[in-house]
């Protein structure tokens, strides 16, 4: 009887740990973990100590859809969450981490962000040509359903950190 009780307790413990392991990570229903875009974005921003003072908006901000429209001409209903920091002074530095609801929307989001980059390049060519190279060296990449757009002196380090963080 004691053997059976010990076996049952062990089995219950194993099942409890298994249940916790399966529910411990956020999931979007498709087996992929949800990305904490605000945390990822803040961590990436912290990598560049020379970043100018920034304004930050996230999907949790008031009028988030309007703020997002400044960044990309993309259907906001397809966005799961986002983080967007941009220079208050108007310099080219920007960081955006955007998670879409459906992986099939990543390509369209990246096209919209590329249009944003092209627009910014045109603006800087006209007003501050010495800063054009920073925009031309922008990082635009993705991992799963999460897209990174970064214009920073440290955007290479940001890309590496993004790939390590989101790729887990």
């Amino acid at each position: 009887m004691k053997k059976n009780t010990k076996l049952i307790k062990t089995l219950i413990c194993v099942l409890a740990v298994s249940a916790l392991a399966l529910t411990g990570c956020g999931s979007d229903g498709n087996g992929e973990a949800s990305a904490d875009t605000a945390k990822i974005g803040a961590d990436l921003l912290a990598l560049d100590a020379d970043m100018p003072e920034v304004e930050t908006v996230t999907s949790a901000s008031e009028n988030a859809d309007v703020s997002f429209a400044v960044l990309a001409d993309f259907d906001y209903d397809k966005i799961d969450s986002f983080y967007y920091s941009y220079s208050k002074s108007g310099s080219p530095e920007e960081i955006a981490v955007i998670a879409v609801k459906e992986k099939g929307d990543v390509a369209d989001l990246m096209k919209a962000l590329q249009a944003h980059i092209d627009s910014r390049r045109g603006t800087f060519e006209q007003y501050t040509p010495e800063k054009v190279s920073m925009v031309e060296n922008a990082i635009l990449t993705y991992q799963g359903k999460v897209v990174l757009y970064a214009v920073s002196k440290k955007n290479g380090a940001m890309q590496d950190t993004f790939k390590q963080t989101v790729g887990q």
Side-chain angles (χ1 to χ4, degrees), residues 92-93 130-138 150-153 155:
E93 292 88 350
E130 67 277 5
K131 300 207 177 200
V132 170
S133 65
M134 185 177 274
V135 177
E136 290 177 338
N137 292 320
V151 177
S152 163
K153 293 175 185 171
N155 60 10

Side-chain angles (χ1 to χ4, degrees), residues 50-159:
D50 296 329
M51 194 77 150
E53 187 176 358
V54 297
E55 183 74 32
T56 299
V57 292
T58 70
S59 45
S61 299
E62 186 175 337
N63 298 318
D65 56 338
V66 175
S67 297
F68 185 81
V70 170
L71 175 63
D73 183 14
F74 185 79
D75 183 358
Y76 188 73
D77 290 335
K78 295 179 179 182
I79 300 299
D80 184 41
S81 65
F82 78 92
Y83 170 95
Y84 177 41
S85 283
Y86 55 92
S87 168
K88 284 185 174 183
S89 68
S91 62
E93 292 88 350
E94 297 182 293
I95 299 169
V97 179
I98 307 158
V100 292
K101 293 175 183 173
E102 301 291 330
K103 190 170 183 173
D105 294 324
V106 168
D108 289 338
L109 174 59
M110 290 184 73
K111 285 178 193 172
L113 290 169
Q114 185 60 55
H116 175 77
I117 293 168
D118 295 342
S119 172
R120 300 271 294 166
R121 182 184 309 113
T123 299
F124 284 100
E125 283 172 350
Q126 218 169 23
Y127 297 106
T128 50
E130 67 277 5
K131 300 207 177 200
V132 170
S133 65
M134 185 177 274
V135 177
E136 290 177 338
N137 292 320
I139 296 291
L140 183 57
T141 189
Y142 74 97
Q143 191 78 17
K145 295 192 290 185
V146 185
V147 175
L148 168 66
Y149 159 62
V151 177
S152 163
K153 293 175 185 171
K154 304 285 186 182
N155 60 10
M158 289 179 186
Q159 181 178 13

Side-chain angles (χ1 to χ4, degrees), residues 5-61:
T5 304
K6 188 173 182 178
L7 180 62
I8 290 172
K9 286 181 182 179
T10 303
L11 184 58
I12 289 172
C13 286
V14 168
L15 290 173
V17 169
S18 297
L20 286 173
L22 292 173
T23 60
C25 296
S27 175
D28 63 4
N30 293 330
E32 292 186 36
S34 298
D36 185 348
T37 54
K39 180 176 180 349
I40 295 167
D43 289 350
L44 296 178
L45 182 65
L47 292 174
D48 189 350
D50 296 329
M51 194 77 150
E53 187 176 358
V54 297
E55 183 74 32
T56 299
V57 292
T58 70
S59 45
S61 299

